Amino acid sequence: MSVVKNDIAGMANASGVSSVSDAGSDVEVLREQLLSLRESHAALEETVERLQRERQLLEDILNAIPDKLTVHDRAEKVVFSNWSEEDTYWENRGGDRDGTVCFGCFFRGEKYCDQCQVEEVFETRKQKVIELYNPQTREYRSITVFPVACKSEDCSMVAEYVRDVTATRKMERELRVAKEAADAANKAKSEFLASMSHEIRTPMNGVLGMLDLAMDTELDEEQREYLESVQNSAESLLALINDILDFSKIEAGVIELDNQAFRLRKRLSALHTMFVHRAEERGLDFRFSVPDSVPDGLMGDPLRLRQVLVNLLDNALKFTESGQVQLAVDVVQDFPDNSVEIEFSVTDTGSGILEAHQERIFDSFAQADGSFSRRHQGTGLGLAICKRLVELMGGNIKVKSAPGQGARFSFIIPFQLAYLEEKPVARKAGSAEKKPVAACRGRILVAEDHPVNLLYIEKFLKKQGFEVQAVSDGTEVIPALREREFDLILMDIAMPEMDGMGAAKAVRASSGLKTPSTVPIIAMTAHAMKGDREQFLAAGMDDYIGKPINSDNLLSLILKYLLQNQA
Ligand code: ADP
């Protein structure tokens, strides 16, 4: 300490300080200033060190980012870049980045690349995103260029953010190719379904039709018994084929619901007639409840609605040994826009279903209990089809049940109301009326190439009292109409030379024939795929009937058009 004091005194003397005591206080001040300077210097050094560490951290982070970031200033110089590695995309890359224009340091070029967005972003101060492809390296880069450090009117820097998107684009391309392959496979499946549907239904039409005719001939008891059992088996086979085809069509997304005006009560009463006898035969009470509040005219698909209800009622009868089965219909909600939600429920007092099985029974090929179902025939497809159909109609099917307590299947469907004109009730075509309809004679041309189907239709129509002429190809239709006047044409769709649609178009475009070009044409089709109905109508046909042909439906359709023309 004394050495320091002596030094300071020496410094004071050298500076010409007069008295030793004055010099002592000045030295004290200087000493304090020096100490504070030292402290400030140490703090400054610490701050500089901290900032350097932080800068290094930021730089390390930026350099570690796999994407490339470059910041350009107004003078087109590179202010910062994390391009530390070679990037195969930019073949000319190389050089020193510091303080050089980007094309100089990265690409050794003499000007900005053609696609460069830096200048434009300096002008517009708006972000731009572009994507580049290098055909040599087969790589893609997504480049985002955005302004940095912008003041109100100016922007001092622009940054470029370059990301390698080659893997993403490759994956997208692979997904696209896979989707195209899946679409093609799905289309092939739909086409297979369409042709299988046709191939199976056509011979089934022949089997059932000829059986129908055979049952009307004179048979001894034994023969009748045999034929009845053939008929039962054929009908079960058809039901099974229909279920499998329906299910596959729903899965392939090729099923299309109709949206036509229909009378709900008329459809429900047909169901009542169908099930009341079957319930009686099994000693069950069949109840039916449709209060007046349920509207009658609705828009929807009555056939699919019927399909669901028939399935549920079939099951209810199948799994109920005693007690009752009830079909109830009720309004859930009325909406001011002329729409309504209706609940349909089928309740039985049968075996019921364990809670654990209740979800599963709506899966395809699922049965609540394998051993039980062996006693009761079935494929396990019925409820899966019902579920999908109800969903297509905008509803959701539910089950409430407990073992030994019966089951209640219900679903709610939204409908638009339809205002149907009151029409005189048309002649009812029930099985009891398969007798000749004398009041409605007419001459019908049948175009059908399948000999067994043709034989059945011809015989059936002749029995009803119609005059029938047959041709086996679309090309023979016009010559037949030239010769005679027909009241109606039944037209098969798939025929060898000219199909039914071609023939229908030819009829509508014809003139000067004995049969007018407006003659009703009903398509007969084993196809029942999405869009078919529209195609038939677009070809000029009036209606269509699916194969295997149900004789009651065929007769009522024919009567509808003949009566219309006679009116
Ligand atoms: P299946 O052709 O076997 O009847 P479903 O899909 O219609 O096929 O029904 C699946 C299973 O659900 C049936 O096998 C049966 O176990 C059960 N199930 C359906 N309805 C009822 C019911 N009303 N009562 C009891 N079990 C039922």
Side-chain angles (χ1 to χ4, degrees):
M1 193 57 170
S2 63
V3 179
V4 174
K5 263 196 177 165
N6 290 343
D7 280 359
I8 292 171
M11 279 164 68
N13 284 337
S15 62
V17 177
S18 51
S19 83
V20 172
S21 66
D22 281 354
S25 67
D26 285 347
V27 166
E28 202 52 41
V29 170
L30 273 174
R31 200 169 71 87
E32 270 169 22
Q33 282 177 345
L34 196 62
L35 279 174
S36 121
L37 258 175
R38 269 192 190 153
E39 271 169 23
S40 310
H41 181 71
L44 202 65
E45 266 187 347
E46 211 173 284
T47 309
V48 168
E49 243 175 59
R50 186 170 50 79
L51 285 175
Q52 267 172 350
R53 273 201 314 274
E54 281 176 8
R55 185 196 151 95
Q56 190 57 48
L57 177 68
L58 281 176
E59 213 166 289
D60 287 349
I61 292 172
L62 288 170
N63 282 331
I65 294 176
D67 301 325
K68 314 291 180 217
L69 179 72
T70 307
V71 183
H72 308 254
D73 70 5
R74 267 281 181 196
E76 299 168 350
K77 297 278 188 330
V78 174
V79 178
F80 172 83
S81 169
N82 68 348
W83 288 51
S84 49
E85 306 156 33
E86 284 292 325
D87 185 326
T88 48
Y89 184 88
W90 319 98
E91 51 180 322
N92 290 325
R93 227 201 99 207
D96 180 8
R97 70 182 172 195
D98 287 339
T100 330
V101 286
C102 73
F103 48 81
C105 65
F106 296 135
F107 314 114
R108 293 186 184 146
E110 294 186 349
K111 59 181 178 67
Y112 281 112
C113 327
D114 293 343
Q115 305 91 341
C116 185
Q117 306 295 313
V118 172
E119 279 181 317
E120 189 182 325
V121 174
F122 266 124
E123 289 312 310
T124 60
R125 282 174 284 133
K126 286 206 175 85
Q127 174 183 301
K128 264 207 102 172
V129 183
I130 59 164
E131 190 163 308
L132 302 180
Y133 175 65
N134 183 337
Q136 266 94 47
T137 60
R138 297 181 168 191
E139 289 177 295
Y140 290 87
R141 294 292 181 273
S142 161
I143 304 177
T144 307
V145 190
F146 52 98
V148 181
C150 285
K151 297 214 178 68
S152 58
E153 284 300 290
D154 199 20
C155 186
S156 61
M157 284 181 275
V158 160
E160 240 182 329
Y161 190 80
V162 181
R163 168 164 287 190
D164 183 348
V165 288
T166 310
T168 316
R169 296 294 166 265
K170 192 167 164 250
M171 206 160 72
E172 281 170 2
R173 204 181 47 243
E174 282 168 5
L175 273 177
R176 213 173 29 248
V177 171
K179 185 181 175 293
E180 278 163 16
D183 285 348
N186 200 21
K187 191 162 172 270
K189 182 175 158 192
S190 301
E191 280 163 9
F192 169 72
L193 269 175
S195 67
M196 187 167 107
S197 161
H198 183 260
E199 294 309 320
I200 298 174
R201 280 168 203 245
T202 303
M204 279 308 286
N205 193 31
V207 171
L208 285 168
M210 295 316 288
L211 268 173
D212 208 24
L213 291 179
M215 298 283 279
D216 266 3
T217 59
E218 271 197 21
L219 299 168
D220 64 34
E221 210 166 294
E222 195 182 1
Q223 286 169 327
R224 183 165 296 280
E225 202 180 304
Y226 292 164
L227 279 185
E228 267 170 8
S229 86
V230 173
Q231 202 173 29
N232 279 341
S233 303
E235 274 164 6
S236 308
L237 181 60
L238 181 64
L240 177 64
I241 292 166
N242 282 344
D243 268 5
I244 294 173
L245 290 176
D246 256 356
F247 186 74
S248 319
K249 279 195 275 173
I250 293 172
E251 287 294 280
V254 289
I255 219 157
E256 200 174 55
L257 293 191
D258 212 356
N259 192 28
Q260 55 163 285
F262 69 98
R263 288 181 197 282
L264 181 63
R265 279 191 177 68
K266 189 175 139 199
R267 306 285 172 160
L268 293 174
S269 87
L271 276 183
H272 180 260
T273 316
M274 181 174 166
F275 280 94
V276 77
H277 298 301
R278 287 179 49 190
E280 253 170 38
E281 276 167 22
R282 289 182 48 83
L284 299 172
D285 182 15
F286 185 70
R287 299 200 179 167
F288 186 71
S289 148
V290 189
D292 288 346
S293 54
V294 175
D296 195 30
L298 300 176
M299 296 297 298
D301 192 330
L303 290 182
R304 293 296 179 187
L305 178 62
R306 177 183 183 278
Q307 187 178 350
V308 175
L309 292 173
V310 165
N311 218 305
L312 296 181
L313 287 166
D314 267 340
N315 278 349
L317 288 188
K318 196 159 70 172
F319 294 102
T320 307
E321 302 291 334
S322 65
Q324 67 177 53
V325 167
Q326 184 185 35
L327 168 62
V329 182
D330 220 334
V331 174
V332 180
Q333 217 172 338
D334 257 324
F335 296 99
D337 65 343
N338 280 343
S339 65
V340 65
E341 278 182 353
I342 298 182
E343 184 189 52
F344 298 83
S345 66
V346 173
T347 312
D348 64 59
T349 53
S351 59
I353 307 156
L354 276 173
E355 197 173 344
H357 295 158
Q358 289 178 16
E359 280 274 310
R360 216 181 62 194
I361 54 172
F362 293 102
D363 293 343
S364 43
F365 304 106
Q367 294 177 326
D369 170 14
S371 60
F372 192 61
S373 67
R374 241 167 275 141
R375 273 205 290 140
H376 302 269
Q377 287 184 351
T379 55
L381 273 177
L383 287 179
I385 294 173
C386 288
K387 180 174 155 64
R388 309 281 200 297
L389 286 178
V390 167
E391 282 168 1
L392 281 174
M393 289 190 268
N396 215 333
I397 193 161
K398 287 189 294 192
V399 60
K400 235 178 128 182
S401 177
Q405 315 250 307
R408 180 181 190 267
F409 286 85
S410 65
F411 57 92
I412 297 173
I413 297 188
F415 291 99
Q416 280 293 325
L417 296 181
Y419 293 97
L420 299 164
E421 271 176 52
E422 280 304 320
K423 276 195 208 145
V425 182
R427 180 190 301 274
K428 195 168 153 254
S431 49
E433 287 166 76
K434 275 197 198 169
K435 315 257 171 315
V437 188
C440 198
R441 288 187 189 283
R443 191 177 294 144
I444 297 177
L445 178 70
V446 183
E448 163 69 83
D449 64 319
H450 194 283
V452 180
N453 288 347
L454 181 59
L455 182 63
Y456 163 63
I457 295 170
E458 242 186 321
K459 292 220 175 226
F460 171 73
L461 292 178
K462 279 183 179 159
K463 256 184 166 181
Q464 307 309 314
F466 294 110
E467 203 180 314
V468 184
Q469 185 175 325
V471 294
S472 58
D473 190 66
T475 50
E476 297 165 32
V477 170
I478 294 286
L481 303 190
R482 191 173 290 128
E483 293 295 311
R484 298 179 76 175
E485 183 175 356
F486 289 93
D487 301 299
L488 189 137
I489 303 175
L490 285 176
M491 186 87 84
D492 185 27
I493 293 296
M495 288 186 283
E497 296 284 327
M498 180 190 272
D499 68 13
M501 285 192 280
K505 282 183 194 158
V507 173
R508 295 299 179 230
S510 68
S511 60
L513 310 179
K514 290 227 167 102
T515 303
S517 65
T518 52
V519 58
I521 305 177
I522 298 174
M524 297 182 292
T525 175
H527 292 250
M529 305 295 278
K530 194 170 183 169
D532 281 354
R533 182 189 155 80
E534 286 67 26
Q535 274 192 48
F536 302 152
L537 299 186
M541 310 214 190
D542 296 275
D543 223 317
Y544 80 97
I545 183 161
K547 285 180 182 175
I549 286 170
N550 172 306
S551 50
D552 289 346
N553 289 350
L554 177 64
L555 187 57
S556 66
L557 208 55
I558 292 174
L559 290 179
K560 175 179 155 190
Y561 285 97
L562 292 187
L563 287 171
Q564 239 173 40
N565 274 7
Q566 284 172 12

